[in-house]
Amino acid sequence: MKIAVLESGERIASVAADMYCKLLADKPSAVLGLATGSSPVPLYDELVKRYKQGDVSFKDTTAFLLDEYVGLPAGHPEGYRNFIERVFASRVDFAPGAVRGPDGTARDVRQAAEDYEAAIRASGGIDLQLLGIGTDGHIAFNEPGGSLSSLTHSQVLTEQTRIDNARFFDGDVSQVPRFCLTQGLGTIGRASSVLLIAQGAQKARAVAEMVEGAVSALWPATVLQFHNDATILLDEDAAHQLKLRDHYQAEWDAL
Ligand code: GLP
């Protein structure tokens, strides 16, 4: 893992945006994996800024969302497909239909999961997968206790995740769906590169487990220890339980 502890959210967004600009300059038709939650929002704002400056274009790019709630009505503002449209996709120049997410309104969620996995494969695979991390160590919606090699699947959300995400539903846990569709840990592992952003002390334990803990279904993000091109961008608070922090910094500075 390449791990950087950066001084501010702005700096994290800037370093992350540099990675996108470089990838899209080298490969304008790259396939992006997009994430929701609050962690990636400053990055999306930075990419919109750079797009407006003419520094990057998404017109030949396709993108796949990590996950989606099951059971929300199609137009619900907190549906992840709607979230990404509002926060990012509609603000840059993706072609119509270029950004896809799992179909959380499908009658047959198992089929929807298989179709989504097949669509990712048919695209040639994800070049750069963006990730956040849950306080319980989930990535996408892969909750603790699942297979470390799962493909896109439906999933029951843990109570902790529903409590964490209640902030997007007027603070009312009962409004947070109980089910979701998510890329699996195996799906994420197939991305050519992954970029995980975590900020805040509430993520510190999950970050320390992810980077330095034993690989375990109890902390799903630990599977990233097997990835050969994973970049982790942290603020001070999220990094404060890392034991080998100075070493990571030295490695980062030497890149
Ligand atoms: C949700 C999403 C995850 C995200 C996590 C953390 O559960 N499914 O993809 O990483 O929230 O979100 P935040 O960045 O808001 O802390």
Coordinates of all heavy atoms in Angstrom, one line a residue, residues 56-125:
V56 N -9.1 18.5 -17.5 CA -9.5 17.1 -17.6 C -10.9 17.0 -18.2 O -11.7 17.9 -18.2 CB -9.5 16.4 -16.2 CG1 -10.6 17.0 -15.3 CG2 -9.6 14.9 -16.2
S57 N -11.1 15.9 -18.9 CA -12.4 15.6 -19.5 C -12.8 14.2 -19.3 O -12.0 13.3 -19.2 CB -12.4 15.9 -21.0 OG -13.5 15.3 -21.7
F58 N -14.1 14.0 -19.1 CA -14.7 12.6 -18.9 C -15.5 12.1 -20.0 O -16.3 11.2 -19.9 CB -15.5 12.7 -17.6 CG -14.7 13.1 -16.4 CD1 -14.6 14.4 -16.1 CD2 -14.1 12.2 -15.6 CE1 -13.8 14.9 -15.0 CE2 -13.4 12.6 -14.4 CZ -13.2 13.9 -14.2
K59 N -15.4 12.8 -21.2 CA -16.3 12.5 -22.3 C -16.2 11.1 -22.9 O -17.1 10.6 -23.4 CB -16.3 13.6 -23.3 CG -15.1 13.6 -24.2 CD -15.2 14.7 -25.3 CE -14.0 14.9 -26.1 NZ -13.3 13.8 -26.6
D60 N -15.0 10.5 -22.8 CA -14.8 9.2 -23.3 C -14.7 8.1 -22.2 O -14.3 7.0 -22.4 CB -13.5 9.1 -24.1 CG -13.6 10.0 -25.3 OD1 -14.7 10.1 -25.9 OD2 -12.6 10.7 -25.6
T61 N -15.0 8.6 -21.0 CA -14.8 7.7 -19.8 C -16.2 7.1 -19.4 O -17.2 7.7 -19.6 CB -14.4 8.7 -18.6 OG1 -13.2 9.4 -19.0 CG2 -14.1 7.9 -17.4
T62 N -16.1 5.9 -18.9 CA -17.3 5.3 -18.3 C -17.0 5.1 -16.8 O -15.9 5.1 -16.4 CB -17.6 3.9 -18.9 OG1 -16.5 3.1 -19.0 CG2 -18.2 4.1 -20.3
A63 N -18.1 4.9 -16.1 CA -17.9 4.8 -14.6 C -18.9 3.8 -14.0 O -20.1 3.8 -14.5 CB -18.0 6.2 -14.0
F64 N -18.5 3.1 -13.0 CA -19.4 2.2 -12.2 C -19.4 2.6 -10.8 O -18.3 2.8 -10.2 CB -18.9 0.8 -12.4 CG -19.1 0.2 -13.8 CD1 -18.1 0.4 -14.7 CD2 -20.2 -0.4 -14.1 CE1 -18.2 -0.1 -16.0 CE2 -20.4 -0.9 -15.4 CZ -19.4 -0.8 -16.3
L65 N -20.6 2.7 -10.2 CA -20.7 3.0 -8.8 C -20.4 1.7 -8.0 O -20.6 0.6 -8.5 CB -22.1 3.4 -8.4 CG -22.5 4.9 -8.6 CD1 -23.9 5.0 -8.2 CD2 -21.6 5.7 -7.6
L66 N -19.9 1.9 -6.8 CA -19.6 0.8 -5.9 C -20.9 0.0 -5.5 O -20.8 -1.2 -5.3 CB -18.9 1.3 -4.6 CG -17.4 1.5 -4.7 CD1 -17.0 2.1 -3.4 CD2 -16.7 0.2 -4.9
D67 N -21.9 0.8 -5.1 CA -23.0 0.1 -4.4 C -24.3 1.0 -4.5 O -24.3 2.1 -5.1 CB -22.6 -0.1 -3.0 CG -22.0 1.1 -2.3 OD1 -22.0 2.2 -2.9 OD2 -21.4 1.0 -1.2
E68 N -25.4 0.4 -4.0 CA -26.7 1.1 -4.1 C -27.6 0.5 -3.0 O -27.5 -0.7 -2.7 CB -27.3 0.9 -5.5 CG -28.6 1.5 -5.7 CD -28.6 3.1 -5.5 OE1 -28.7 3.5 -4.4 OE2 -28.4 3.8 -6.5
Y69 N -28.4 1.3 -2.4 CA -29.4 0.8 -1.5 C -30.5 0.1 -2.3 O -30.7 0.4 -3.5 CB -30.1 2.0 -0.8 CG -29.3 2.8 0.1 CD1 -28.9 4.1 -0.1 CD2 -28.9 2.2 1.3 CE1 -28.1 4.8 0.8 CE2 -28.1 2.9 2.3 CZ -27.7 4.2 2.0 OH -27.0 4.9 2.9
V70 N -31.0 -0.9 -1.7 CA -32.2 -1.6 -2.3 C -33.4 -1.2 -1.6 O -33.5 -1.1 -0.3 CB -32.0 -3.2 -2.1 CG1 -33.3 -3.9 -2.4 CG2 -30.9 -3.7 -3.0
G71 N -34.4 -0.8 -2.4 CA -35.7 -0.5 -1.8 C -36.1 1.0 -1.7 O -37.2 1.3 -1.4
L72 N -35.2 1.8 -2.1 CA -35.5 3.3 -2.2 C -36.3 3.5 -3.5 O -35.9 2.9 -4.5 CB -34.3 4.1 -2.2 CG -33.5 4.3 -0.8 CD1 -32.3 5.2 -1.0 CD2 -34.4 4.8 0.3
P73 N -37.2 4.4 -3.5 CA -37.9 4.7 -4.8 C -36.9 5.3 -5.8 O -35.9 5.9 -5.4 CB -38.9 5.8 -4.4 CG -38.8 6.1 -3.0 CD -37.8 5.1 -2.4
A74 N -37.1 5.1 -7.1 CA -36.1 5.5 -8.1 C -35.6 6.9 -8.0 O -34.4 7.1 -8.2 CB -36.7 5.2 -9.5
G75 N -36.4 7.8 -7.6 CA -35.9 9.2 -7.6 C -35.4 9.7 -6.3 O -35.1 10.9 -6.1
H76 N -35.3 8.8 -5.3 CA -34.9 9.2 -3.9 C -33.5 9.9 -4.0 O -32.6 9.4 -4.5 CB -34.9 8.0 -3.0 CG -34.8 8.4 -1.6 ND1 -33.7 9.0 -1.0 CD2 -35.8 8.3 -0.6 CE1 -34.0 9.2 0.3 NE2 -35.2 8.8 0.6
P77 N -33.4 11.1 -3.4 CA -32.2 11.9 -3.4 C -31.0 11.1 -2.8 O -29.8 11.4 -3.2 CB -32.5 13.2 -2.7 CG -33.7 13.0 -1.9 CD -34.5 11.9 -2.7
E78 N -31.2 10.2 -1.9 CA -30.1 9.5 -1.2 C -29.8 8.2 -1.9 O -28.9 7.5 -1.5 CB -30.3 9.3 0.3 CG -30.4 10.6 1.0 CD -29.1 11.5 0.8 OE1 -28.0 11.0 0.6 OE2 -29.3 12.8 0.8
G79 N -30.6 7.9 -3.0 CA -30.1 6.7 -3.8 C -28.8 7.1 -4.4 O -28.5 8.2 -4.8
Y80 N -27.8 6.2 -4.4 CA -26.5 6.5 -4.8 C -26.4 6.9 -6.2 O -25.5 7.8 -6.6 CB -25.5 5.3 -4.5 CG -25.2 5.2 -3.0 CD1 -24.6 4.0 -2.5 CD2 -25.5 6.2 -2.1 CE1 -24.3 3.9 -1.1 CE2 -25.1 6.1 -0.7 CZ -24.5 4.9 -0.3 OH -24.2 4.8 1.1
R81 N -27.2 6.4 -7.1 CA -27.2 6.8 -8.5 C -27.6 8.3 -8.6 O -27.0 9.0 -9.4 CB -28.1 5.9 -9.3 CG -28.1 6.2 -10.8 CD -26.7 5.9 -11.4 NE -26.6 6.4 -12.8 CZ -26.3 7.7 -13.0 NH1 -26.2 8.6 -12.1 NH2 -26.2 8.1 -14.3
N82 N -28.5 8.7 -7.8 CA -29.0 10.1 -7.8 C -27.9 11.0 -7.1 O -27.7 12.1 -7.6 CB -30.3 10.2 -7.1 CG -31.4 9.4 -7.8 OD1 -31.4 9.3 -9.1 ND2 -32.3 8.8 -7.1
F83 N -27.3 10.5 -6.1 CA -26.3 11.2 -5.4 C -25.1 11.5 -6.3 O -24.7 12.7 -6.4 CB -25.8 10.4 -4.2 CG -24.7 11.0 -3.4 CD1 -24.9 11.8 -2.3 CD2 -23.4 10.7 -3.8 CE1 -23.8 12.3 -1.6 CE2 -22.3 11.3 -3.1 CZ -22.5 12.1 -2.0
I84 N -24.7 10.5 -7.0 CA -23.5 10.7 -7.8 C -23.8 11.7 -9.0 O -23.0 12.5 -9.4 CB -22.9 9.4 -8.3 CG1 -21.4 9.6 -8.7 CG2 -23.6 8.8 -9.5 CD1 -20.5 9.8 -7.5
E85 N -25.0 11.6 -9.5 CA -25.4 12.5 -10.6 C -25.4 13.9 -10.1 O -24.9 14.8 -10.8 CB -26.9 12.1 -11.0 CG -27.3 12.7 -12.3 CD -26.5 12.3 -13.5 OE1 -26.0 11.1 -13.5 OE2 -26.4 13.0 -14.5
R86 N -25.9 14.2 -8.9 CA -26.0 15.5 -8.4 C -24.7 16.1 -8.0 O -24.3 17.2 -8.3 CB -26.9 15.4 -7.1 CG -27.2 16.7 -6.4 CD -28.3 16.5 -5.3 NE -27.8 15.8 -4.2 CZ -28.2 14.6 -3.8 NH1 -29.2 14.0 -4.5 NH2 -27.8 14.0 -2.7
V87 N -23.9 15.2 -7.3 CA -22.6 15.7 -6.7 C -21.5 15.8 -7.8 O -20.6 16.6 -7.6 CB -22.3 14.8 -5.5 CG1 -20.9 15.0 -5.0 CG2 -23.2 15.0 -4.4
F88 N -21.6 14.9 -8.8 CA -20.4 14.8 -9.7 C -20.8 14.7 -11.2 O -20.5 15.6 -12.0 CB -19.5 13.7 -9.3 CG -18.3 13.5 -10.1 CD1 -17.5 14.6 -10.5 CD2 -17.9 12.2 -10.6 CE1 -16.3 14.4 -11.2 CE2 -16.8 12.1 -11.4 CZ -16.0 13.2 -11.7
A89 N -21.5 13.7 -11.6 CA -21.7 13.3 -13.0 C -22.3 14.4 -13.8 O -21.8 14.7 -14.9 CB -22.5 12.0 -13.1
S90 N -23.3 15.1 -13.3 CA -24.0 16.1 -14.0 C -23.2 17.4 -14.1 O -23.5 18.3 -14.9 CB -25.4 16.5 -13.4 OG -25.1 17.1 -12.1
R91 N -22.1 17.5 -13.4 CA -21.3 18.7 -13.3 C -20.1 18.6 -14.3 O -19.3 19.6 -14.4 CB -20.8 19.0 -11.9 CG -22.0 19.1 -10.9 CD -21.5 19.1 -9.5 NE -20.8 20.3 -9.1 CZ -19.9 20.4 -8.1 NH1 -19.7 19.3 -7.4 NH2 -19.3 21.5 -7.9
V92 N -19.9 17.5 -14.9 CA -18.8 17.3 -15.8 C -19.4 16.8 -17.1 O -20.6 16.8 -17.3 CB -17.6 16.5 -15.3 CG1 -16.9 17.2 -14.1 CG2 -18.1 15.1 -14.9
D93 N -18.5 16.2 -18.0 CA -19.0 15.9 -19.4 C -19.1 14.4 -19.7 O -18.8 14.0 -20.8 CB -18.1 16.6 -20.4 CG -16.6 16.2 -20.3 OD1 -16.3 15.6 -19.3 OD2 -15.9 16.5 -21.3
F94 N -19.5 13.6 -18.7 CA -19.8 12.2 -19.0 C -20.8 12.2 -20.1 O -21.8 12.9 -20.2 CB -20.3 11.5 -17.8 CG -19.3 11.1 -16.8 CD1 -19.3 11.8 -15.6 CD2 -18.4 10.1 -17.0 CE1 -18.3 11.4 -14.6 CE2 -17.5 9.7 -16.0 CZ -17.4 10.4 -14.8
A95 N -20.7 11.2 -21.0 CA -21.7 11.0 -22.1 C -22.9 10.4 -21.4 O -22.8 9.7 -20.3 CB -21.2 10.0 -23.1
P96 N -24.1 10.6 -22.0 CA -25.3 10.0 -21.4 C -25.2 8.5 -21.2 O -24.7 7.8 -22.1 CB -26.4 10.4 -22.4 CG -25.9 11.5 -23.2 CD -24.4 11.4 -23.2
G97 N -25.6 8.0 -20.1 CA -25.5 6.6 -19.8 C -24.1 6.0 -19.4 O -24.0 4.9 -19.2
A98 N -23.1 6.9 -19.4 CA -21.8 6.5 -19.1 C -21.5 6.1 -17.6 O -20.6 5.4 -17.3 CB -20.8 7.5 -19.5
V99 N -22.4 6.6 -16.8 CA -22.2 6.3 -15.3 C -23.3 5.4 -14.9 O -24.5 5.7 -15.1 CB -22.3 7.6 -14.5 CG1 -22.1 7.3 -13.0 CG2 -21.2 8.6 -14.9
R100 N -22.9 4.2 -14.4 CA -23.9 3.2 -14.1 C -23.8 2.8 -12.6 O -22.7 2.9 -12.0 CB -23.7 1.9 -14.9 CG -23.8 2.1 -16.4 CD -23.6 0.9 -17.1 NE -24.5 -0.2 -16.7 CZ -24.7 -1.4 -17.3 NH1 -24.0 -1.7 -18.3 NH2 -25.5 -2.3 -16.8
G101 N -24.9 2.3 -12.0 CA -24.8 1.8 -10.7 C -25.6 0.5 -10.7 O -26.4 0.3 -11.6
P102 N -25.5 -0.3 -9.6 CA -26.3 -1.5 -9.5 C -27.8 -1.0 -9.4 O -28.1 0.0 -8.8 CB -25.9 -2.1 -8.1 CG -24.6 -1.4 -7.8 CD -24.6 -0.1 -8.5
D103 N -28.7 -1.8 -9.9 CA -30.1 -1.5 -10.0 C -30.8 -1.9 -8.7 O -31.3 -3.0 -8.5 CB -30.8 -2.1 -11.2 CG -32.2 -1.7 -11.3 OD1 -32.7 -0.9 -10.5 OD2 -32.9 -2.2 -12.2
G104 N -30.9 -0.9 -7.8 CA -31.5 -1.2 -6.5 C -33.0 -1.3 -6.5 O -33.7 -1.5 -5.5
T105 N -33.6 -1.0 -7.7 CA -35.1 -1.1 -7.8 C -35.5 -2.4 -8.5 O -36.7 -2.6 -8.7 CB -35.7 0.1 -8.6 OG1 -35.2 0.0 -10.0 CG2 -35.2 1.4 -8.0
A106 N -34.5 -3.2 -8.8 CA -34.8 -4.4 -9.6 C -35.7 -5.4 -8.7 O -35.5 -5.5 -7.5 CB -33.6 -5.1 -10.0
R107 N -36.6 -6.1 -9.4 CA -37.4 -7.1 -8.7 C -36.5 -8.3 -8.3 O -36.6 -8.8 -7.2 CB -38.5 -7.7 -9.6 CG -39.7 -6.8 -9.7 CD -41.0 -7.6 -9.5 NE -42.1 -6.6 -9.6 CZ -42.9 -6.6 -10.6 NH1 -42.8 -7.5 -11.5 NH2 -43.8 -5.7 -10.7
D108 N -35.6 -8.6 -9.2 CA -34.7 -9.8 -9.0 C -33.3 -9.2 -8.7 O -32.5 -9.0 -9.6 CB -34.7 -10.7 -10.2 CG -33.9 -11.9 -10.0 OD1 -33.1 -12.0 -9.1 OD2 -34.1 -12.9 -10.8
V109 N -33.0 -9.0 -7.4 CA -31.8 -8.4 -7.1 C -30.6 -9.3 -7.4 O -29.5 -8.8 -7.7 CB -31.7 -7.9 -5.6 CG1 -32.5 -6.7 -5.3 CG2 -32.0 -9.0 -4.6
R110 N -30.8 -10.6 -7.3 CA -29.7 -11.5 -7.6 C -29.3 -11.4 -9.1 O -28.1 -11.3 -9.4 CB -30.1 -12.9 -7.4 CG -29.0 -13.9 -7.5 CD -29.5 -15.3 -7.1 NE -29.9 -15.3 -5.7 CZ -29.6 -16.4 -4.9 NH1 -28.9 -17.4 -5.3 NH2 -29.9 -16.3 -3.6
Q111 N -30.3 -11.3 -10.0 CA -30.0 -11.1 -11.4 C -29.4 -9.7 -11.6 O -28.4 -9.6 -12.4 CB -31.3 -11.2 -12.2 CG -31.1 -11.2 -13.7 CD -30.3 -12.4 -14.2 OE1 -30.6 -13.5 -13.8 NE2 -29.3 -12.1 -14.9
A112 N -29.9 -8.7 -10.9 CA -29.3 -7.3 -11.0 C -27.8 -7.4 -10.6 O -27.0 -6.7 -11.3 CB -30.0 -6.4 -10.1
A113 N -27.5 -8.1 -9.6 CA -26.1 -8.3 -9.2 C -25.2 -8.9 -10.3 O -24.1 -8.5 -10.6 CB -26.0 -9.0 -7.9
E114 N -25.8 -10.0 -10.8 CA -25.0 -10.7 -11.9 C -24.8 -9.8 -13.1 O -23.8 -9.8 -13.7 CB -25.7 -12.0 -12.3 CG -25.5 -13.1 -11.3 CD -26.2 -14.4 -11.8 OE1 -26.5 -14.6 -13.0 OE2 -26.5 -15.2 -10.9
D115 N -25.9 -9.1 -13.5 CA -25.8 -8.2 -14.6 C -24.8 -7.1 -14.4 O -24.0 -6.8 -15.3 CB -27.2 -7.6 -14.9 CG -28.2 -8.6 -15.4 OD1 -27.9 -9.7 -15.7 OD2 -29.4 -8.2 -15.4
Y116 N -24.7 -6.6 -13.2 CA -23.8 -5.5 -12.9 C -22.3 -6.0 -13.0 O -21.5 -5.4 -13.6 CB -24.1 -5.0 -11.5 CG -23.4 -3.6 -11.3 CD1 -23.8 -2.5 -12.1 CD2 -22.4 -3.4 -10.4 CE1 -23.2 -1.3 -11.9 CE2 -21.9 -2.2 -10.1 CZ -22.2 -1.1 -10.9 OH -21.7 0.1 -10.7
E117 N -22.1 -7.2 -12.4 CA -20.8 -7.8 -12.5 C -20.3 -8.0 -13.9 O -19.2 -7.7 -14.3 CB -20.8 -9.1 -11.7 CG -19.4 -9.7 -11.5 CD -18.5 -9.0 -10.5 OE1 -19.0 -8.4 -9.5 OE2 -17.3 -9.1 -10.7
A118 N -21.3 -8.5 -14.7 CA -21.0 -8.8 -16.1 C -20.7 -7.5 -16.9 O -19.8 -7.4 -17.8 CB -22.2 -9.5 -16.8
A119 N -21.4 -6.4 -16.5 CA -21.2 -5.1 -17.2 C -19.8 -4.6 -16.9 O -19.1 -4.0 -17.8 CB -22.3 -4.1 -16.8
I120 N -19.4 -4.8 -15.7 CA -18.0 -4.3 -15.3 C -17.0 -5.1 -16.1 O -16.1 -4.5 -16.7 CB -17.8 -4.4 -13.8 CG1 -18.7 -3.5 -13.0 CG2 -16.3 -4.2 -13.5 CD1 -18.6 -3.7 -11.5
R121 N -17.2 -6.4 -16.2 CA -16.2 -7.2 -17.0 C -16.2 -6.8 -18.4 O -15.2 -6.7 -19.0 CB -16.6 -8.7 -16.9 CG -16.2 -9.3 -15.6 CD -16.1 -10.7 -15.7 NE -16.1 -11.3 -14.3 CZ -15.5 -12.4 -14.0 NH1 -15.0 -13.2 -15.0 NH2 -15.5 -12.8 -12.8
A122 N -17.5 -6.6 -19.0 CA -17.6 -6.3 -20.4 C -16.9 -4.9 -20.7 O -16.5 -4.7 -21.8 CB -19.0 -6.2 -20.8
S123 N -16.8 -4.1 -19.7 CA -16.2 -2.8 -19.9 C -14.7 -2.9 -20.1 O -14.0 -1.9 -20.4 CB -16.5 -1.8 -18.8 OG -15.7 -2.2 -17.6
G124 N -14.2 -4.1 -19.7 CA -12.7 -4.2 -19.7 C -12.1 -4.1 -18.4 O -10.9 -4.3 -18.2
G125 N -12.9 -3.8 -17.4 CA -12.5 -3.7 -16.0 C -12.2 -2.3 -15.5 O -11.9 -1.4 -16.4

